[in-house]
Amino acid sequence: MKPPTSPVTLPPQPDPAVQETSFEPDTSPILTPARQDEENTPNYGTISNPPPASFPAPPPARALAPDLLRGLLMTFMALDNTSLMLRSWPHGTAIDGENDSAPVHEWNRPAAYIIRTLTHLCAPGFTFLLGMGVVYFGRSRTSRPPDRKWTNRQLGWHFLVRAVVLTVISTVMGLGISGGKVWFLNMVLFSLAVDYLLAGLTWMVVAKTERLLAFGMLKFLPLGKKDDVTEPLLPGPLPRLHGEEEMAPDVEIIRAADISWHIHNVFLAVGAVVMIWWNIWLSPTGGRCGADPTPKLPDSDWIKIWFYPIMDERVKSGFPPLAWMSFPVLGLLYGRIILARAWSAKAITLGNALAGLGFTLVFVFTRLFHFGNLSEGCLDMAEHQHGGDQYLASVKSFLYLTKYPPDVAFWAFTMAGNHLLLALFSALPPLFASKAFHVLLVYGTSALFFYIIHILMLGVLSFPIIALIGREVSDPFSKQPARGVDQLWGFFLTWGLLLAILYPLCRWYGGFKKAKGPDSVWRFF
């Protein structure tokens, strides 16, 4: 039986503004007709050559779900930053909450709690899609014809340059926003930069070792019958390694490739779990309020910045890169699975739904059995004065999450939400989705451009809006009296106006970016 060769496709002429996605251009599962010659359906990292004529590659299809998810997350992110610029309310579901071992004595207002809970999906979703994009980008560049195929040096240089560009943008924006008072501001871009580089290097190592392990196993696998494998994930023979005298039978090659692929997927899955758990292990208090801090945190900000949030006078970093590394590793795993074969839309929808359910169960277990939380014994509101399980005292208590750094409960909750949204978007008919959610596609395919412009636009819009309808509020960070907009109608009016201004700008940029080559610097944005 041959692998499926009929994935869901869209009309061949998508909107020119809707292009490759993410903070990392050319990295999403979006294959446009103009690039069909170079974006054949990939197979098993770099283990195999493109399928031979007897296994024709399925026609490229534009997978809309990742773009739709990214576009939706961009609008959620704009909600969060709008509240900050307008000083609408404290930045969290609880006053002074969301930090490791931070005592919580007061919930935020209901609207703020709901909005903040939605925006929790953003950073995990961005970094997850970043890892997924690395797989698509690496696969597309290594599947080109020999004269245009990228070497490991080219790939490594690309990942490094991309990380440097994002870091420079983050630093310049920080200096501008703070008026030069903050030397290094990491709102999220520095974390994305480092995680992108590490995810890219991880993909390169996995692609290499997967190939070597597969060929190594050929010497030890017992011969199997030809009908043992009827629907291989990897069609076609493996290429000949230097020094190999004979090729093994196709069945043995396929079996070795399958085993190596699964072993590396298990390695990535275990790595993702370890990387989120080390936020618990490295916590000075073990995530328990009232516990004595031990061990002592590093003295240097330049050491702490990799694992711990920092809010010093000159260095402010809410997103330590290694504390968030689990999410792009999950994206690497997801991208490898998606590219293993031409899955049907129904299979992708079901897979995402099951993944969402699995993460939901993990989140529930963290609450019921008190593991993987950085907020143990920290909830101290009226509903917690009667004893009992703090997380079961109220719905707000159950959904309260620690984000700085992310704990296991945060990890499970946000990945459940992102997978369920992917399942929802994957279930939509492509033609309907591309028309009904066109605005999200435009936002999702110009993500870094959206991010930079929306910060600048909020800075411009906030002054006249606060002057017109603002009143005295408490600054979310300094806690000092200041003018702000805490009326819900004013908040949503500003947010809607921001998105309305960004739509034509992002649509223009999408068309501009399409006119550039696939390796153009403009695709950084």
Side-chain angles (χ1 to χ4, degrees), residues 52 54-55 218 221 223-229 232 234-239 247-258:
S54 59
F55 291 90
L218 288 177
L221 285 177
L223 293 177
K225 297 179 181 179
K226 289 288 184 179
D227 59 356
D228 282 349
V229 181
L234 176 63
L238 290 169
M247 293 298 296
D250 285 351
V251 168
E252 308 312 324
I253 296 172
I254 292 171
R255 182 188 299 175
D258 279 347

Side-chain angles (χ1 to χ4, degrees), residues 405-424:
D407 60 9
V408 177
F410 181 93
W411 176 78
F413 179 89
T414 56
M415 287 309 303
N418 279 296
H419 274 293
L420 291 175
L421 286 171
L422 279 173
L424 173 63

Side-chain angles (χ1 to χ4, degrees), residues 160-175:
L160 176 61
V161 170
R162 188 67 52 84
V164 171
V165 168
L166 289 174
T167 301
V168 170
I169 292 173
S170 177
T171 305
V172 171
M173 289 182 65
L175 290 171

Side-chain angles (χ1 to χ4, degrees), residues 78-129:
L79 279 171
D80 208 33
N81 290 329
T82 299
S83 72
L84 287 175
M85 290 292 191
L86 296 182
R87 306 187 186 96
S88 299
W89 44 68
H91 193 229
T93 53
I95 310 300
D96 298 322
E98 299 188 354
N99 294 298
D100 179 9
S101 309
V104 178
H105 303 290
E106 181 183 357
W107 295 121
N108 211 334
R109 58 194 289 191
Y113 187 101
I114 294 171
I115 290 172
R116 181 61 174 170
T117 301
L118 285 176
T119 63
H120 278 329
L121 301 179
C122 296
F126 292 146
T127 47
F128 171 77
L129 292 173

